[in-house]
mmCIF file of all heavy atoms in Angstrom:
data_model
loop_
_atom_site.group_PDB
_atom_site.id
_atom_site.type_symbol
_atom_site.label_atom_id
_atom_site.label_comp_id
_atom_site.label_asym_id
_atom_site.label_seq_id
_atom_site.Cartn_x
_atom_site.Cartn_y
_atom_site.Cartn_z
ATOM 1 N N LYS K 34 -13.578 23.587 12.615
ATOM 2 C CA LYS K 34 -12.882 23.052 13.787
ATOM 3 C C LYS K 34 -11.490 22.543 13.416
ATOM 4 O O LYS K 34 -10.511 22.779 14.139
ATOM 5 C CB LYS K 34 -13.702 21.933 14.429
ATOM 6 C CG LYS K 34 -14.935 22.432 15.173
ATOM 7 C CD LYS K 34 -15.657 21.291 15.837
ATOM 8 C CE LYS K 34 -16.788 21.795 16.697
ATOM 9 N NZ LYS K 34 -16.351 22.696 17.778
ATOM 10 N N GLU K 35 -11.386 21.854 12.306
ATOM 11 C CA GLU K 35 -10.084 21.311 11.928
ATOM 12 C C GLU K 35 -9.139 22.395 11.418
ATOM 13 O O GLU K 35 -7.928 22.311 11.635
ATOM 14 C CB GLU K 35 -10.261 20.167 10.944
ATOM 15 C CG GLU K 35 -10.889 18.976 11.667
ATOM 16 C CD GLU K 35 -11.073 17.742 10.835
ATOM 17 O OE1 GLU K 35 -11.384 17.849 9.632
ATOM 18 O OE2 GLU K 35 -10.910 16.656 11.412
ATOM 19 N N THR K 36 -9.680 23.421 10.793
ATOM 20 C CA THR K 36 -8.841 24.555 10.401
ATOM 21 C C THR K 36 -8.281 25.235 11.647
ATOM 22 O O THR K 36 -7.081 25.552 11.711
ATOM 23 C CB THR K 36 -9.637 25.561 9.551
ATOM 24 O OG1 THR K 36 -10.075 24.905 8.359
ATOM 25 C CG2 THR K 36 -8.787 26.760 9.188
ATOM 26 N N LEU K 37 -9.119 25.436 12.645
ATOM 27 C CA LEU K 37 -8.650 26.033 13.900
ATOM 28 C C LEU K 37 -7.615 25.130 14.585
ATOM 29 O O LEU K 37 -6.640 25.631 15.165
ATOM 30 C CB LEU K 37 -9.821 26.292 14.848
ATOM 31 C CG LEU K 37 -10.675 27.502 14.488
ATOM 32 C CD1 LEU K 37 -11.936 27.534 15.354
ATOM 33 C CD2 LEU K 37 -9.878 28.796 14.667
ATOM 34 N N ALA K 38 -7.824 23.828 14.505
ATOM 35 C CA ALA K 38 -6.853 22.903 15.094
ATOM 36 C C ALA K 38 -5.502 23.026 14.390
ATOM 37 O O ALA K 38 -4.449 23.020 15.049
ATOM 38 C CB ALA K 38 -7.370 21.472 15.011
ATOM 39 N N ILE K 39 -5.516 23.172 13.070
ATOM 40 C CA ILE K 39 -4.258 23.352 12.329
ATOM 41 C C ILE K 39 -3.594 24.659 12.735
ATOM 42 O O ILE K 39 -2.376 24.719 12.936
ATOM 43 C CB ILE K 39 -4.492 23.278 10.805
ATOM 44 C CG1 ILE K 39 -4.798 21.834 10.394
ATOM 45 C CG2 ILE K 39 -3.277 23.805 10.038
ATOM 46 C CD1 ILE K 39 -5.217 21.669 8.946
ATOM 47 N N VAL K 40 -4.386 25.718 12.873
ATOM 48 C CA VAL K 40 -3.839 27.004 13.305
ATOM 49 C C VAL K 40 -3.193 26.861 14.689
ATOM 50 O O VAL K 40 -2.092 27.380 14.928
ATOM 51 C CB VAL K 40 -4.921 28.103 13.290
ATOM 52 C CG1 VAL K 40 -4.438 29.369 13.979
ATOM 53 C CG2 VAL K 40 -5.354 28.405 11.860
ATOM 54 N N ALA K 41 -3.866 26.147 15.599
ATOM 55 C CA ALA K 41 -3.309 25.933 16.934
ATOM 56 C C ALA K 41 -2.002 25.157 16.857
ATOM 57 O O ALA K 41 -1.024 25.483 17.563
ATOM 58 C CB ALA K 41 -4.321 25.192 17.811
ATOM 59 N N GLU K 42 -1.960 24.137 16.021
ATOM 60 C CA GLU K 42 -0.725 23.354 15.867
ATOM 61 C C GLU K 42 0.376 24.199 15.229
ATOM 62 O O GLU K 42 1.554 24.067 15.579
ATOM 63 C CB GLU K 42 -0.982 22.094 15.048
ATOM 64 C CG GLU K 42 -1.918 21.097 15.697
ATOM 65 C CD GLU K 42 -1.441 20.560 17.042
ATOM 66 O OE1 GLU K 42 -0.224 20.620 17.334
ATOM 67 O OE2 GLU K 42 -2.283 20.077 17.802
ATOM 68 N N LEU K 43 0.014 25.072 14.297
ATOM 69 C CA LEU K 43 1.004 25.972 13.700
ATOM 70 C C LEU K 43 1.575 26.924 14.749
ATOM 71 O O LEU K 43 2.767 27.233 14.735
ATOM 72 C CB LEU K 43 0.396 26.768 12.546
ATOM 73 C CG LEU K 43 0.184 25.995 11.256
ATOM 74 C CD1 LEU K 43 -0.685 26.808 10.288
ATOM 75 C CD2 LEU K 43 1.514 25.639 10.611
ATOM 76 N N ALA K 44 0.722 27.385 15.666
ATOM 77 C CA ALA K 44 1.205 28.247 16.748
ATOM 78 C C ALA K 44 2.195 27.482 17.626
ATOM 79 O O ALA K 44 3.224 28.037 18.045
ATOM 80 C CB ALA K 44 0.029 28.762 17.577
ATOM 81 N N GLU K 45 1.905 26.210 17.894
ATOM 82 C CA GLU K 45 2.833 25.397 18.670
ATOM 83 C C GLU K 45 4.144 25.213 17.911
ATOM 84 O O GLU K 45 5.232 25.257 18.503
ATOM 85 C CB GLU K 45 2.200 24.050 19.009
ATOM 86 C CG GLU K 45 1.049 24.175 19.993
ATOM 87 C CD GLU K 45 0.349 22.859 20.278
ATOM 88 O OE1 GLU K 45 0.900 21.783 19.935
ATOM 89 O OE2 GLU K 45 -0.758 22.902 20.851
ATOM 90 N N LEU K 46 4.051 25.048 16.601
ATOM 91 C CA LEU K 46 5.252 24.934 15.776
ATOM 92 C C LEU K 46 6.059 26.233 15.813
ATOM 93 O O LEU K 46 7.286 26.210 15.930
ATOM 94 C CB LEU K 46 4.871 24.568 14.338
ATOM 95 C CG LEU K 46 6.000 24.424 13.327
ATOM 96 C CD1 LEU K 46 6.990 23.356 13.749
ATOM 97 C CD2 LEU K 46 5.420 24.112 11.952
ATOM 98 N N LEU K 47 5.371 27.356 15.732
ATOM 99 C CA LEU K 47 6.060 28.647 15.812
ATOM 100 C C LEU K 47 6.872 28.771 17.093
ATOM 101 O O LEU K 47 7.988 29.296 17.090
ATOM 102 C CB LEU K 47 5.043 29.798 15.749
ATOM 103 C CG LEU K 47 4.676 30.321 14.381
ATOM 104 C CD1 LEU K 47 3.533 31.314 14.494
ATOM 105 C CD2 LEU K 47 5.869 30.944 13.693
ATOM 106 N N ASN K 48 6.309 28.305 18.193
ATOM 107 C CA ASN K 48 7.025 28.376 19.465
ATOM 108 C C ASN K 48 8.287 27.531 19.460
ATOM 109 O O ASN K 48 9.214 27.798 20.233
ATOM 110 C CB ASN K 48 6.110 27.950 20.617
ATOM 111 C CG ASN K 48 5.098 29.012 20.947
ATOM 112 O OD1 ASN K 48 5.356 30.206 20.805
ATOM 113 N ND2 ASN K 48 3.928 28.583 21.386
ATOM 114 N N GLU K 49 8.330 26.528 18.606
ATOM 115 C CA GLU K 49 9.500 25.652 18.536
ATOM 116 C C GLU K 49 10.618 26.211 17.662
ATOM 117 O O GLU K 49 11.741 25.732 17.733
ATOM 118 C CB GLU K 49 9.100 24.267 18.017
ATOM 119 C CG GLU K 49 8.189 23.484 18.933
ATOM 120 C CD GLU K 49 8.843 23.143 20.265
ATOM 121 O OE1 GLU K 49 10.079 23.000 20.324
ATOM 122 O OE2 GLU K 49 8.093 23.027 21.251
ATOM 123 N N VAL K 50 10.340 27.209 16.842
ATOM 124 C CA VAL K 50 11.341 27.671 15.871
ATOM 125 C C VAL K 50 11.854 29.083 16.150
ATOM 126 O O VAL K 50 12.408 29.734 15.270
ATOM 127 C CB VAL K 50 10.811 27.563 14.418
ATOM 128 C CG1 VAL K 50 10.518 26.110 14.058
ATOM 129 C CG2 VAL K 50 9.591 28.439 14.202
ATOM 130 N N ASN K 65 10.569 17.922 18.710
ATOM 131 C CA ASN K 65 9.318 18.640 18.945
ATOM 132 C C ASN K 65 8.755 19.201 17.639
ATOM 133 O O ASN K 65 7.547 19.168 17.413
ATOM 134 C CB ASN K 65 9.509 19.769 19.954
ATOM 135 C CG ASN K 65 9.688 19.273 21.366
ATOM 136 O OD1 ASN K 65 9.553 18.088 21.641
ATOM 137 N ND2 ASN K 65 10.021 20.178 22.269
ATOM 138 N N ILE K 66 9.629 19.709 16.785
ATOM 139 C CA ILE K 66 9.198 20.226 15.485
ATOM 140 C C ILE K 66 8.558 19.109 14.668
ATOM 141 O O ILE K 66 7.481 19.287 14.086
ATOM 142 C CB ILE K 66 10.376 20.875 14.730
ATOM 143 C CG1 ILE K 66 10.787 22.175 15.433
ATOM 144 C CG2 ILE K 66 10.010 21.133 13.268
ATOM 145 C CD1 ILE K 66 12.070 22.785 14.896
ATOM 146 N N LYS K 67 9.201 17.967 14.634
ATOM 147 C CA LYS K 67 8.646 16.830 13.901
ATOM 148 C C LYS K 67 7.277 16.445 14.447
ATOM 149 O O LYS K 67 6.353 16.145 13.688
ATOM 150 C CB LYS K 67 9.600 15.634 13.970
ATOM 151 C CG LYS K 67 10.875 15.833 13.185
ATOM 152 C CD LYS K 67 11.830 14.664 13.411
ATOM 153 C CE LYS K 67 13.159 14.896 12.712
ATOM 154 N NZ LYS K 67 14.084 13.755 12.922
ATOM 155 N N GLY K 68 7.130 16.453 15.756
ATOM 156 C CA GLY K 68 5.846 16.127 16.373
ATOM 157 C C GLY K 68 4.748 17.099 15.977
ATOM 158 O O GLY K 68 3.617 16.686 15.677
ATOM 159 N N GLU K 69 5.071 18.378 15.952
ATOM 160 C CA GLU K 69 4.073 19.382 15.562
ATOM 161 C C GLU K 69 3.693 19.223 14.091
ATOM 162 O O GLU K 69 2.519 19.366 13.724
ATOM 163 C CB GLU K 69 4.580 20.802 15.839
ATOM 164 C CG GLU K 69 4.854 21.110 17.299
ATOM 165 C CD GLU K 69 3.687 20.875 18.228
ATOM 166 O OE1 GLU K 69 2.525 20.836 17.769
ATOM 167 O OE2 GLU K 69 3.926 20.717 19.442
ATOM 168 N N LEU K 70 4.664 18.923 13.248
ATOM 169 C CA LEU K 70 4.362 18.707 11.832
ATOM 170 C C LEU K 70 3.437 17.505 11.642
ATOM 171 O O LEU K 70 2.517 17.540 10.815
ATOM 172 C CB LEU K 70 5.654 18.526 11.037
ATOM 173 C CG LEU K 70 6.512 19.787 10.900
ATOM 174 C CD1 LEU K 70 7.875 19.440 10.318
ATOM 175 C CD2 LEU K 70 5.808 20.843 10.065
ATOM 176 N N ILE K 71 3.648 16.461 12.424
ATOM 177 C CA ILE K 71 2.776 15.288 12.336
ATOM 178 C C ILE K 71 1.379 15.623 12.841
ATOM 179 O O ILE K 71 0.379 15.175 12.263
ATOM 180 C CB ILE K 71 3.389 14.091 13.086
ATOM 181 C CG1 ILE K 71 4.697 13.649 12.434
ATOM 182 C CG2 ILE K 71 2.398 12.932 13.175
ATOM 183 C CD1 ILE K 71 4.595 13.330 10.933
ATOM 184 N N ASP K 72 1.283 16.424 13.898
ATOM 185 C CA ASP K 72 -0.040 16.861 14.370
ATOM 186 C C ASP K 72 -0.786 17.590 13.249
ATOM 187 O O ASP K 72 -1.978 17.369 13.034
ATOM 188 C CB ASP K 72 0.086 17.781 15.587
ATOM 189 C CG ASP K 72 0.533 17.047 16.838
ATOM 190 O OD1 ASP K 72 0.472 15.802 16.868
ATOM 191 O OD2 ASP K 72 0.941 17.738 17.796
ATOM 192 N N ILE K 73 -0.081 18.453 12.535
ATOM 193 C CA ILE K 73 -0.683 19.190 11.416
ATOM 194 C C ILE K 73 -1.127 18.216 10.327
ATOM 195 O O ILE K 73 -2.220 18.348 9.766
ATOM 196 C CB ILE K 73 0.301 20.243 10.876
ATOM 197 C CG1 ILE K 73 0.522 21.347 11.924
ATOM 198 C CG2 ILE K 73 -0.189 20.833 9.547
ATOM 199 C CD1 ILE K 73 1.728 22.232 11.666
ATOM 200 N N LEU K 74 -0.293 17.224 10.045
ATOM 201 C CA LEU K 74 -0.636 16.227 9.029
ATOM 202 C C LEU K 74 -1.915 15.485 9.391
ATOM 203 O O LEU K 74 -2.746 15.214 8.518
ATOM 204 C CB LEU K 74 0.526 15.247 8.837
ATOM 205 C CG LEU K 74 0.302 14.117 7.839
ATOM 206 C CD1 LEU K 74 0.003 14.663 6.440
ATOM 207 C CD2 LEU K 74 1.521 13.197 7.809
ATOM 208 N N HIS K 75 -2.089 15.161 10.660
ATOM 209 C CA HIS K 75 -3.320 14.483 11.096
ATOM 210 C C HIS K 75 -4.556 15.293 10.710
ATOM 211 O O HIS K 75 -5.505 14.762 10.123
ATOM 212 C CB HIS K 75 -3.320 14.277 12.622
ATOM 213 C CG HIS K 75 -2.592 13.073 13.068
ATOM 214 N ND1 HIS K 75 -3.162 11.828 13.095
ATOM 215 C CD2 HIS K 75 -1.326 12.920 13.530
ATOM 216 C CE1 HIS K 75 -2.279 10.952 13.546
ATOM 217 N NE2 HIS K 75 -1.160 11.592 13.807
ATOM 218 N N PHE K 76 -4.552 16.570 11.057
ATOM 219 C CA PHE K 76 -5.719 17.402 10.759
ATOM 220 C C PHE K 76 -5.865 17.649 9.256
ATOM 221 O O PHE K 76 -6.971 17.696 8.732
ATOM 222 C CB PHE K 76 -5.659 18.718 11.534
ATOM 223 C CG PHE K 76 -5.854 18.514 13.007
ATOM 224 C CD1 PHE K 76 -4.814 18.716 13.891
ATOM 225 C CD2 PHE K 76 -7.082 18.103 13.510
ATOM 226 C CE1 PHE K 76 -4.987 18.514 15.250
ATOM 227 C CE2 PHE K 76 -7.272 17.894 14.867
ATOM 228 C CZ PHE K 76 -6.220 18.101 15.743
ATOM 229 N N PHE K 77 -4.740 17.797 8.550
ATOM 230 C CA PHE K 77 -4.779 17.961 7.102
ATOM 231 C C PHE K 77 -5.431 16.747 6.439
ATOM 232 O O PHE K 77 -6.343 16.884 5.616
ATOM 233 C CB PHE K 77 -3.362 18.176 6.555
ATOM 234 C CG PHE K 77 -3.288 18.127 5.060
ATOM 235 C CD1 PHE K 77 -3.657 19.226 4.300
ATOM 236 C CD2 PHE K 77 -2.866 16.980 4.406
ATOM 237 C CE1 PHE K 77 -3.607 19.176 2.915
ATOM 238 C CE2 PHE K 77 -2.811 16.922 3.019
ATOM 239 C CZ PHE K 77 -3.181 18.026 2.277
#
Side-chain angles (χ1 to χ4, degrees):
K34 287 183 174 300
E35 291 183 324
T36 298
L37 284 171
I39 288 173
V40 169
E42 295 300 339
L43 285 168
E45 291 176 14
L46 179 59
L47 271 172
N48 286 328
E49 294 296 331
V50 298
N65 287 353
I66 290 171
K67 291 174 184 180
E69 298 305 339
L70 290 170
I71 296 305
D72 289 345
I73 293 165
L74 178 60
H75 276 276
F76 291 111
F77 171 80

